[in-house]
Amino acid sequence: MKFEDSKYSKLLSYKKVEFSFGTLYETEYFLLSELNEGIHVDHHIASELISRFSDLILRGHKIGYIANRYNSYSFDPQLWVDFNNDYDAFIASAIVTYSDFSYLNASLEKQFFSKSLKRCDNLEQAIEWIMNLKEFKKDTNQN
C-alpha cells in the first residue's frame, strides 16, 4: 500500500518531495520513502537525499525512517554504516517488505544499521511502531 492510499495520509500532516528515483514524505516524526521499481540506491542517491534534508539532519532533529518497499529495488547496505558514522538523525528505521526476497534483503540491512531496524509486513505496522517509540513519547510529554 502506498502512503497516500493509507489512513495516515489523512491523519498526519506531511510534505511530499518527489525525486527522479522516487517519492519521500516528511512528517513530524518520520521520513517515509517509496522508491521506483528497479533502481539501485547508492551513494549518489543517498547524497541527493541528505542534501535535500540536510537542515533537518544537521539541526539535530530526531526522526524515524520508513522504507515502504512496495517496488523492488536494490540498496547498498554500506550506506547504513556511512550514515550512522556521519549523522545521528535517525533513532530507528522500519522496512516494509512485500515479498520473501525483500524480507531477506531487509534482514541483511539490519546487520549494518547500528540502531533499531524493524522489518514489517505492512505500512500500518511500520507507522504505528515508529510513532510509539519511547523517544517520541518523551518528546510529547515535554511539550
Side-chain angles (χ1 to χ4, degrees):
M1 168 184 297
K2 291 185 176 185
F3 176 72
E4 289 186 313
D5 296 332
S6 76
K7 69 180 182 182
Y8 296 98
S9 69
K10 283 123 185 103
L11 298 172
L12 300 171
S13 161
Y14 67 91
K15 287 188 235 174
K16 180 178 181 178
V17 183
E18 296 190 55
F19 295 90
S20 62
F21 49 82
T23 304
L24 262 78
Y25 300 90
E26 179 184 352
T27 75
E28 180 181 357
Y29 296 107
F30 60 84
L31 290 177
L32 185 142
S33 66
E34 294 180 344
L35 302 181
N36 297 341
E37 182 77 28
I39 66 157
H40 175 65
V41 180
D42 56 11
H43 284 281
H44 173 74
I45 288 176
S47 295
E48 194 171 335
L49 292 170
I50 290 168
S51 174
R52 170 58 180 88
F53 296 102
S54 63
D55 65 321
L56 179 75
I57 294 167
L58 295 175
R59 71 174 182 234
H61 185 75
K62 300 298 183 192
I63 194 161
Y65 174 69
I66 299 172
N68 187 23
R69 295 192 178 164
Y70 65 87
N71 284 325
S72 178
Y73 60 88
S74 59
F75 183 91
D76 179 355
Q78 181 64 37
L79 292 173
W80 283 125
V81 175
D82 297 343
F83 189 84
N84 289 335
N85 289 338
D86 295 338
Y87 307 101
D88 192 33
F90 293 145
I91 56 172
S93 182
I95 299 175
V96 184
T97 63
Y98 294 89
S99 70
D100 291 341
F101 184 71
S102 181
Y103 183 87
L104 288 172
N105 283 338
S107 297
L108 174 65
E109 288 175 48
K110 186 175 175 69
Q111 304 306 311
F112 288 85
F113 192 58
S114 65
K115 298 181 180 158
S116 184
L117 189 148
K118 182 171 179 64
R119 294 155 299 179
C120 301
D121 297 327
N122 59 64
L123 185 57
E124 182 173 308
Q125 180 185 29
I127 292 173
E128 290 293 329
W129 180 73
I130 289 284
M131 295 294 292
N132 285 302
L133 290 171
K134 69 178 185 239
E135 291 85 353
F136 294 139
K137 297 294 185 189
K138 185 173 20 172
D139 286 346
T140 57
N141 290 337
Q142 292 176 352
N143 291 334

